[in-house]
Amino acid sequence: MSDILDQLTEAQRAAVTHMEGPLLVVAGAGSGKTRVVTRRIAHLIQRGVWPNQILAMTFTNKAAREMVERVQSLTGERPPWVGTFHSACARFLRRDIEVLGDGRTGQFTIYDDDDQLSIIKLCMKEAGVNPHELTPSAVRARLSRAKCAGVDPDGLEADPDWQSRQVVGLYRDYERRLRELNAVDFDDLLLLSVRLLQEHPARRDVYHSRFRYILVDEYQDTNHLQYLLMRLLTGPEQNVHATGDPDQSIYSWRGAEYRNIMEFQKDFPKATLIRLEQNYRSTQLILNAANELIRFNTERIDKELFTENDSGVPTQVIHTATDRDEADWVAQRVQALRLEGVRLRQMAVFYRTNAQSRPLEERLMSAGVPYQLIGGTRFYHRQEIKDLLAHLQLMVNPRDAVALQRVVGCRPTGVGPKTVEAVVRQSADDGVAVLDLLADPAFPTRFRGRCNARLAAFAAWCRELRDLPRSPVGDCVAAVVEHSGILPHLAERQGRDPLALDRQENIAAMIDRAREFEHEHPDAALEAFLEEVALVADVDSHDPDSDVLSLMTLHACKGLEFPYVFIVGVEEGYMPHQNVIDHGSDRDVEEERRLLYVGITRARRAVALLHAEDRFLWDRASTRVPSRFLSELPSDDVERIDLVGRRSRRYSRW
DNA sequence: GGCGACCAATTTTTT
DNA sequence: ATTGGTCGCC
């Protein structure tokens, strides 16, 4: 017990020892929030609460894992259930989705945003919508926004915005298709869980008696559905604990409403409010810069972080001639710090968009600086990985015709889109899952189309796929790779596809990943593996133990900290982003400012903000303007270094 | 109808 | 860098 309460300030201790009733902790950047949350969980457990009566929801799987580890080392007990909203919902639905009676079963597939987009394109094609007038990604954004706000097609029909009403038909088609495919998208995980709890009080009671303590981290970034979920999961005892910081809300584009945190006390009038404003992470000068910057936002609760740390060194603002010089400066500075004995894992580079990593990577590579890229072209989104996953998804969910199409298309099978279309139509007519139809030994008699030898051979192959052993997971994935013929097919393409070798290696890495998963969860089913793969975030791949430089977007850096931080591309067009300048409101600009605030407050010892005079954008040179946010920094605490016209020409490619 | 080759178009941020 | 479209060949 004693070490749980060790070295805590009064405010922190009050939060840690809070037992019953609603609790809101407004925790500024670097104020020891994680510490407070993990210790509160440990404290609850030590006071006799069973770990499995606690449900904690974090923003990323990595945060969840960390929390589990820390609680475990504090208590030595079995850890509570910690996960993201999405993974918790996936588990609720695996169990209970059939209660909803919309035709979906516990074997549902989780579609990622790419799958979502292809379904929307299909719907648009069928409805004869011109994709140039209304782009599929705009439709997706609207549908997602509607879903996250809890608006169904009927509700959208009443929307005052005609552009929203325009997509009502597509919304209905899209939903119908997902139901037929026995699939859900990310938003559905939340939406259907909310529906489950709202419409089936008996299920809700089950969850209430199971989870007596609910904790929600990063509350400023919850959307309406997540808010409803929290309220629905909170039992009559109201043991709900939310933690967050309105100044770090950076996901409004995904439906996050930081008003949720502002109104917690209205929702729970008995709530205890604890504010953590002392920062233990950064130097005074870093904090001055951050405080001064965020003061320019009008919509916020007044909050001023303070620290008793050293004043440190001024924040540097570096103006270079080109993007190449910018990358060069970072590489050289990293090398210099290394010579001073700073480890690479103590440094990180942040940027606004994933595409900005390219010039950095080139310089770092030639300078011999090892780095890890968080995000970017994500592993699980590579085509060969998606091809392999489609096989597994089809095994689990025999109704997944989208997966079937991918399986057919990833290598020559003698079967093409037209034939698949006919088979899918037949399976719909018969009311039989498409894989079950194909795998049926009586397929030729049940399929009313032409059944030539190639199709019969493919049907036999499908039967073998369906009957492969599904556990243990590692063996299953290896067997599917073997059966799929993906590797020989890639080997054959070696000459024409320069990436063929990489792809083969990625497939091998995927088998390793499955074996690892099997090792961590010996009894887990194939479904569980697919779920993990579908729901892992990019920050989840961040490995703080390997001694390399970390590169990531400003969104991905949330929740992390590094002694030395570089932020590149601090220019109009990136910060704020061009889309915000062109179409955004003041509120959107404020979110961009918060994004930079989050980046700066990750740093313990020093921050450098870089911007270039000229930059290659879409293969064309463009002249850049420093970000408006740079002029908002306190000039006394900032050191401005202008390198334009000095060493630039040496490295310039013009 | 299937398949391979070639060209264009898209990328803000992510569970 | 993936994908979706079109074209010519089997």
Side-chain angles (χ1 to χ4, degrees):
Chain A
M1 178 75 90
S2 63
D3 42 325
I4 288 179
L5 299 179
D6 250 12
Q7 297 184 342
L8 292 176
T9 63
E10 207 168 312
Q12 288 177 333
R13 181 187 292 251
V16 168
T17 56
H18 179 93
M19 289 296 296
E20 308 288 320
L23 169 68
L24 174 65
V25 175
V26 176
S31 62
K33 177 196 66 175
T34 312
R35 195 173 202 226
V36 164
V37 173
T38 50
R39 291 200 191 196
R40 172 155 187 265
I41 295 174
H43 182 256
L44 285 173
I45 292 172
Q46 293 217 333
R47 293 288 286 265
V49 177
W50 287 20
N52 60 13
Q53 292 181 315
I54 301 171
L55 172 62
M57 247 106 54
T58 58
F59 203 70
T60 63
N61 292 290
K62 175 171 190 291
R65 257 201 309 273
E66 253 176 39
M67 202 176 278
V68 164
E69 275 167 29
R70 288 169 76 161
V71 170
Q72 213 161 10
S73 74
L74 282 167
T75 63
E77 300 264 348
R78 214 159 55 88
W81 184 0
V82 185
T84 62
F85 270 101
H86 289 83
S87 63
C89 287
R91 288 226 234 155
F92 298 158
L93 293 176
R94 286 273 174 233
R95 215 189 163 73
D96 283 336
I97 198 167
E98 276 153 60
V99 172
L100 291 173
D102 67 2
R104 278 184 266 234
T105 72
Q107 282 72 48
F108 63 84
T109 311
I110 300 170
Y111 279 176
D112 66 20
D113 40 5
D114 291 337
D115 304 323
Q116 214 181 345
L117 212 52
S118 34
I119 305 271
I120 287 170
K121 283 177 189 163
L122 259 159
C123 294
M124 288 176 70
K125 206 169 166 184
E126 204 173 60
V129 180
N130 182 353
H132 293 289
E133 282 168 26
L134 191 65
T135 65
S137 53
V139 174
R140 179 181 53 191
R142 282 189 186 278
L143 294 192
S144 178
R145 224 171 55 197
K147 286 173 113 166
C148 287
V151 176
D152 62 7
D154 291 339
L156 198 64
E157 206 151 25
D159 196 297
D161 182 3
W162 68 272
Q163 287 185 318
S164 292
R165 288 202 301 275
Q166 205 178 12
V167 300
V168 169
L170 293 170
Y171 192 176
R172 288 208 174 89
D173 287 347
Y174 173 78
E175 294 284 279
R176 178 181 48 79
R177 275 210 140 85
L178 285 193
R179 280 194 303 270
E180 282 170 7
L181 291 161
N182 193 22
V184 302
D185 62 27
F186 284 136
D187 300 325
D188 286 329
L189 290 171
L190 308 173
L191 183 64
L192 297 179
S193 296
V194 165
R195 199 171 289 165
L196 177 75
L197 294 170
Q198 272 177 342
E199 293 172 6
H200 300 275
R203 299 308 304 155
R204 191 162 83 212
D205 290 343
V206 170
Y207 287 112
H208 282 172
S209 52
R210 157 98 205 254
F211 300 116
R212 294 195 37 234
Y213 293 84
I214 305 288
L215 288 89
V216 180
D217 198 12
E218 309 281 10
Y219 191 55
Q220 77 283 355
D221 279 324
T222 51
N223 64 30
H224 183 63
L225 289 177
Q226 290 166 322
Y227 164 77
L228 288 177
L229 215 51
M230 179 203 73
R231 300 227 48 181
L232 287 162
L233 285 168
T234 298
E237 299 157 303
Q238 296 204 333
N239 291 329
V240 57
H241 171 186
T243 313
D245 176 7
D247 286 337
Q248 294 185 64
S249 168
I250 53 174
Y251 282 93
S252 73
W253 50 273
R254 211 169 77 183
E257 296 174 22
Y258 69 91
R259 275 160 214 79
N260 286 346
I261 195 169
M262 312 285 231
E263 290 176 3
F264 187 86
Q265 288 175 289
K266 277 189 206 145
D267 293 324
F268 301 99
K270 286 184 291 181
T272 305
L273 170 69
I274 294 176
R275 302 159 82 99
L276 303 178
E277 290 182 298
Q278 179 168 2
N279 172 297
Y280 301 95
R281 179 186 294 153
S282 311
T283 66
Q284 280 179 23
L285 286 177
I286 290 172
L287 229 45
N288 288 352
N291 279 334
E292 204 53 36
L293 174 70
I294 204 65
R295 225 201 294 278
F296 281 83
N297 275 6
T298 55
E299 286 190 49
R300 60 186 292 261
I301 308 177
D302 250 341
K303 175 156 72 22
E304 182 98 6
L305 289 178
F306 66 96
T307 185
E308 290 170 2
N309 291 345
D310 298 345
S311 64
V313 296
T315 294
Q316 291 181 312
V317 175
I318 317 289
H319 186 189
T320 64
T322 67
D323 50 351
R324 197 143 168 198
D325 293 343
E326 180 186 70
D328 220 42
W329 192 89
V330 172
Q332 290 188 15
R333 187 78 192 106
V334 165
Q335 293 289 40
L337 285 166
R338 265 175 118 181
L339 287 177
E340 291 171 25
V342 179
R343 309 301 304 259
L344 283 174
R345 64 163 170 270
Q346 299 178 306
M347 307 180 239
V349 188
F350 306 149
Y351 35 78
R352 179 65 176 83
T353 67
N354 284 305
Q356 290 171 263
S357 69
R358 278 280 280 298
L360 276 166
E361 290 182 80
E362 281 167 25
R363 289 311 295 153
L364 291 170
M365 213 122 57
S366 64
V369 177
Y371 61 87
Q372 63 180 332
L373 200 64
I374 315 299
T377 321
R378 306 194 281 267
F379 182 74
Y380 294 124
H381 286 217
R382 285 168 220 251
Q383 73 175 26
E384 64 279 11
I385 298 299
K386 292 212 65 165
D387 288 341
L388 171 54
L389 290 175
H391 287 76
L392 301 168
Q393 283 163 355
L394 185 60
M395 285 171 77
V396 169
N397 173 13
R399 272 157 63 185
D400 194 340
V402 173
L404 176 67
Q405 269 158 351
R406 215 179 160 107
V407 165
V408 168
C410 73
R411 102 209 97 88
T413 50
V415 176
K418 289 282 182 207
T419 308
V420 174
E421 210 182 297
V423 174
V424 170
R425 206 172 321 121
Q426 179 76 41
S427 84
D429 290 348
D430 291 3
V432 177
V434 69
L435 181 67
D436 291 335
L437 174 68
L438 274 161
D440 186 344
F443 174 68
T445 59
R446 294 185 63 184
F447 179 58
R448 303 213 154 277
R450 193 168 89 249
C451 183
N452 57 32
R454 289 180 305 185
L455 180 55
F458 180 69
W461 179 90
C462 284
R463 185 162 57 243
E464 285 159 20
L465 177 75
R466 192 188 59 171
D467 296 340
L468 287 175
R470 292 161 191 230
S471 67
V473 172
D475 292 344
C476 170
V477 173
V480 168
V481 169
E482 174 69 28
H483 184 58
S484 70
I486 289 178
L487 287 178
H489 174 244
L490 285 172
E492 212 174 289
R493 296 183 52 107
Q494 206 107 254
R496 288 159 301 170
D497 181 358
L499 273 68
L501 203 66
D502 288 339
R503 296 188 197 284
Q504 286 169 280
E505 284 169 6
N506 289 335
I507 295 285
M510 197 64 194
I511 298 175
D512 290 345
R513 184 70 203 89
R515 294 213 183 278
E516 220 174 284
F517 180 84
E518 176 193 323
H519 187 70
E520 289 162 17
H521 313 89
D523 300 322
L526 184 54
E527 285 94 320
F529 177 62
L530 289 177
E531 195 168 292
E532 162 147 325
V533 167
L535 298 178
V536 285
D538 302 320
V539 259
D540 298 343
S541 68
H542 175 244
D543 177 7
D545 296 329
S546 69
D547 193 25
V548 298
L549 178 68
S550 294
L551 271 53
M552 68 192 83
T553 64
L554 284 161
H555 281 88
C557 79
K558 185 163 90 158
L560 303 174
E561 62 171 42
F562 299 89
Y564 296 88
V565 164
F566 303 87
I567 305 179
V568 299
V570 191
E571 298 151 13
E572 291 289 300
Y574 282 131
M575 287 184 241
H577 191 271
Q578 195 60 45
N579 288 3
V580 169
I581 295 174
D582 292 343
H583 309 113
S585 61
D586 290 350
R587 209 181 272 170
D588 296 317
V589 173
E590 298 208 347
E591 177 147 316
E592 299 283 307
R593 189 179 282 111
R594 286 195 292 270
L595 203 47
L596 184 57
Y597 174 80
V598 167
I600 292 173
T601 53
R602 298 309 92 196
R604 299 179 71 96
R605 312 259 0 127
V607 183
L609 307 173
L610 292 99
H611 62 106
E613 183 72 20
D614 291 297
R615 182 180 297 279
F616 256 111
L617 232 64
W618 299 302
D619 259 3
R620 300 176 56 165
S622 76
T623 301
R624 312 291 294 172
V625 175
S627 166
R628 66 192 75 176
F629 303 143
L630 289 175
S631 62
E632 297 169 358
L633 298 172
S635 43
D636 289 349
D637 302 332
V638 168
E639 177 189 6
R640 290 176 199 265
I641 301 174
D642 196 333
L643 298 174
V644 177
R646 273 216 269 144
R647 2 162 296 213
S648 62
R649 296 298 156 211
R650 237 167 82 201
Y651 300 98
S652 166
R653 53 179 147 186
W654 296 290

